[in-house]
């Protein structure tokens, strides 16, 4: 990244009170509307990016200088916590735990092995082979001389870290073992299994006790700090406490209404924190077995909970993309660490408790300062923004979100002016009527809803689909709405009566999108069944089937004169079809899957979610070609960048990278919707750009990246 681009992005995306923004934002005269950002710096210190798949776990070294992240990409990466730099990559592994002295990392793998790594060199120093199934976990003994592993092969195994040799097979479980841990003194092992039991073993391999009582899979088991108790978390919605000396059950902690994912003791052993799929954490008194706190705030399953070293805080990780901090003395939330763009799998404290590390499905690890208090949340959705679209006059934007709402935004100020709340499931898309007075929203709740844009009130619920509704669109005269559904149908609705006036049946799989021709006489629908179908809106009959794609069809669009249809597919092609004889007249190989398309007004180009195609075919000429193509417009959102003339203009920090976006070409306003729920507006005066950006667009040989012009991209 060039220094100038760092400077531009720093000015725009740093907090409002930061000195660099206050003093130097005036140096960007070409930005006429800056994005709304937080007043103060957040708790986020570093975003550690390198993994190519979801990150399952993160662990601090005992001295806090390193973080190890484990991912489904089968890599463990060691990071320097002070700089965020990558120190080493450990391959073919999917979990990581440091030895007590921090000199080794042990990793469990899907290849049925456990590996030992030297943290100073990043080199492998031992392979522990013997399991016949996936290894679910691997941890060191307190003195670092042994490793205990749990496997899908129903066994627990002990290994000598010096020789890498197996020194014990603990057999007895009748189903996969989910976890195994040492007692604080290293004399016992507790293993949790899907056979509904916890088993205690001594390190010689002898089974000491079978802790039976759970009625469903046991997800995890942990020892209390003094080793006298074991807490087990189960899918039977309970946590159970066990006396390690007798093997007797000494408490059933009941209250959760769904699976309990994990349980952990506080450092002094007086509390247990449990994390559940019921969206809550609960605190329990270990002496009485009574619940002493319900920690509510997450809007998704809670995957993990961990106490801070001093026991004053709990950090939780959730499918709602957030990490939350809780005060154990009051049970109140004292911080929401937001920034991840997908589910957070786990979160842990550093040894001094000043940092937290979180691992997420968004392929990142994030480091947070636990001492910084949050300064409030900007106006935003509370979950992923699925689509954004401008009103016909450009004065409003409608955003559709996974949080079940549609947001209306004033484009002149970037402020939210209404929340359209009524759907009971994710809203996939929202679209304005041609006169801008209505919005139609399509939802996983199987309905389309109509909303009055001036009042924000619901004015119609269009019911009839029997599965998710993926998209809805108004006819050019606004009198009809067409909806596409996973029930394999397209339905027509009268906007004045809110009644269904047509059901188009013929697709053999999900219908993803639907569009009217400009004269309103035809509808084109794109389907998972690899076809585009044309429908006559006056008769309700199928007008034609466009077959040829070898993958699902994402979208279809009519040319301005209605003689052509363009379709985009997962087979990485765009096909042009003659609507009169239903034949393919051109196939363009795009090298990537395109989701959104729109013809230019003259019909010579197709604006897509990954670039612009210059067409060479007339309705009666055949062609099968690959790009190149020429870009005739110059503003795009491509991966991490806003570009102009195919030159990188503004770098987008992780939390601002869009899940969907839209551009108003006339007003030069860019809208970005993110996976965190944030919707931001940026307006650019392109006549005031630096000279280097004002040169003509360049030719490129392939469509690459993620962008669009005047479209919704999601």
């Amino acid at each position: 990244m060039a220094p100038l681009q760092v400077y531009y992005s720093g000015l725009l995306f740093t907090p409002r009170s930061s000195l660099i923004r206050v003093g130097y934002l005036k140096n960007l005269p070409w930005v006429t509307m800056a994005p709304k950002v937080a007043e103060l710096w957040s708790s986020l210190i570093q975003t550690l990016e390198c993994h190519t798949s979801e990150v399952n776990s993160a662990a601090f070294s005992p001295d806090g200088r390193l973080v190890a992240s484990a991912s489904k990409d089968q890599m463990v990466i060691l990071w320097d916590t002070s700089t965020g730099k990558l120190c080493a990559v450990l391959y073919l592994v999917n979990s990581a735990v440091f030895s007590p002295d921090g000199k080794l990392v042990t990793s469990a793998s899907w290849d049925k092995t456990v590996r030992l790594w030297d943290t100073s060199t990043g080199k492998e120093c031992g392979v522990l082979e013997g399991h016949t199934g996936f290894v679910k976990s691997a941890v060191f003994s307190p003195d670092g001389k042994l490793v205990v592993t749990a496997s899908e092969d129903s066994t627990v195994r002990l290994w000598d870290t010096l020789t890498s040799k197996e020194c014990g097979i603990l057999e007895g479980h009748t189903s996969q073992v989910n976890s195994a841990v040492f007692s604080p003194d290293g004399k016992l092992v507790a293993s949790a299994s899907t056979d509904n039991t916890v088993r205690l073993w001594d390190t010689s391999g002898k089974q000491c006790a079978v802790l039976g009582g759970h009625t469903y899979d046991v997800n995890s088991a942990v020892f209390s700090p003094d080793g006298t108790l074991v807490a087990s978390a189960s899918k039977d919605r309970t946590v159970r406490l066990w006396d390690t000396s007798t093997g007797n059950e000494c408490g059933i902690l009941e209250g959760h209404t769904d699976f309990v994912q994990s349980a952990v003791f506080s450092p002094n052993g007086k509390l247990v924190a449990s994390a559940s799929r019921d969206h809550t954490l609960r605190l329990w008194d270990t002496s009485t077995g009574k619940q002493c706190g319900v920690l509510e705030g997450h809007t998704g399953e809670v995957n993990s909970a961990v106490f801070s070293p001093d026991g004053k805080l709990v950090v939780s990780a959730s499918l709602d993309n957030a990490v939350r901090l809780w005060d154990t003395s009051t049970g109140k939330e004292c911080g929401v660490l937001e920034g991840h763009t997908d589910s957070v799998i786990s979160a842990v404290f550093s040894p001094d408790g000043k940092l937290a590390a979180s691992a997420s499905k968004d392929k990142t690890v994030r480091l947070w300062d636990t001492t910084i208090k949050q300064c409030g949340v900007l106006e935003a959705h509370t979950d992923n923004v699925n689509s954004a679209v401008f009103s016909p006059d450009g004065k409003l934007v409608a955003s559709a979100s996974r949080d079940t709402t549609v947001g209306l935004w004033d484009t002149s100020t970037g402020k939210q002016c209404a929340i359209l709340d009524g759907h009971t499931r994710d809203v996939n898309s929202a679209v304005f009527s041609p006169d801008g007075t209505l919005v139609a929203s399509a939802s996983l709740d199987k309905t389309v809803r109509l909303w009055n844009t001036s009042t924000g009130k619901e004015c119609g619920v269009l019911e009839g689909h029997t599965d998710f509704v993926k998209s809805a669109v108004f006819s050019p005269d606004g009198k009809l709405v067409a909806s596409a559904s996973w029930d394999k149908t397209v339905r027509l609705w009268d906007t004045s009566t809110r009644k269904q006036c047509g059901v188009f049946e013929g697709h053999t799989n999900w219908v993803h999108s639907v569009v009217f021709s400009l004269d309103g006489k035809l509808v084109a629908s794109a389907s998972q069944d690899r076809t585009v179908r044309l429908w006559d809106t006056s008769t309700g009959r199928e007008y034609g089937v466009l077959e040829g794609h070898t993958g699902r069809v994402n979208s279809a669009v009519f040319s301005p004169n209605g003689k052509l249809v363009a379709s985009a597919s997962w087979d990485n092609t765009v096909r042009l079809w003659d609507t009169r004889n239903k034949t393919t007249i051109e196939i363009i190989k795009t090298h990537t899957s395109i989701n959104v398309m729109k013809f230019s007004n003259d019909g010579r180009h197709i604006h897509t979610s990954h670039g612009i195609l210059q067409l060479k075919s007339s309705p009666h000429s055949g062609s099968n070609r690959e790009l190149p193509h020429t870009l005739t417009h110059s503003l795009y959102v491509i991966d991490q960048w806003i570009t102009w003339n195919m030159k990188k203009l503004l770098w987008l920090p992780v939390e601002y990278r869009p899940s969907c976006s839209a551009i108003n070409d006339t007003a030069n306003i860019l809208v970005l919707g993110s996976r965190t729920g944030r919707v931001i507006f940026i307006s650019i005066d392109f006549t005031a750009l630096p000279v280097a950006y004002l040169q003509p667009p360049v030719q490129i040989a392939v469509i690459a990246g993620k962008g669009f012009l005047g479209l919704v991209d999601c």
Side-chain angles (χ1 to χ4, degrees), residues 389-398 409 411 432-436 453 664:
V389 63
F390 281 91
S391 60
D393 62 8
K395 294 181 179 179
L396 293 176
V397 162
W409 308 80
T411 59
F432 285 93
S433 60
D435 63 6
T453 57
N664 183 321

Side-chain angles (χ1 to χ4, degrees), residues 442-454:
S443 170
L444 297 191
D445 67 9
K446 306 178 186 179
T447 71
V448 176
R449 295 178 188 247
L450 299 179
W451 311 85
N452 185 305
T453 57
S454 62

Side-chain angles (χ1 to χ4, degrees), residues 546-564:
L546 311 182
E547 297 180 288
H549 281 297
T550 58
R552 100 173 208 183
V553 187
N554 299 321
S555 64
V557 62
F558 285 95
S559 62
N561 61 13
K563 294 180 179 180
L564 297 177

